[in-house]
Amino acid sequence: MTSKSKTIERLSKSRGYSADSAARILDSLQIDWKKIVLVRTEEYLIWDEADEQPAPTKEAMFEFLCKDLGFSEYEARWAVEQISESRWGTEDL
């Protein structure tokens, strides 16, 4: 699952819902978007570790979550702050 904004976009394009209708549908489901952004952040860190890639910095992950996955700045900042400092890289990729 992705961010609320990306999900609304997909529902609009693939199912023909208006953005307002798609947002109301998602709101009615009471989805915990903070949990989703945290899980996505953890997944990407795990994938980098498994691929023996250098860990991203907090700022690089923040930008990825906002720009690529469509999470709000609040959600992205909250998620990266939940992760232990030892998991983050020190250099931007």
Side-chain angles (χ1 to χ4, degrees), residues 18-60:
S18 70
D20 288 340
S21 293
R24 281 194 301 277
I25 290 167
L26 293 176
D27 289 343
S28 73
L29 298 174
Q30 299 178 343
I31 297 168
D32 185 349
W33 297 104
K34 284 172 69 176
K35 182 176 181 180
I36 291 170
V37 71
L38 182 58
V39 167
R40 298 298 289 173
T41 304
E42 285 282 355
E43 286 175 345
Y44 281 102
L45 289 171
I46 290 167
W47 291 337
D48 283 346
E49 290 167 0
D51 287 342
E52 298 181 6
Q53 298 294 317
T57 62
K58 280 184 172 184
E59 196 57 37

Side-chain angles (χ1 to χ4, degrees), residues 52-68:
E52 298 181 6
Q53 298 294 317
T57 62
K58 280 184 172 184
E59 196 57 37
M61 180 61 76
F62 171 81
E63 289 180 22
F64 174 73
L65 292 168
C66 292
K67 291 180 182 175
D68 295 351

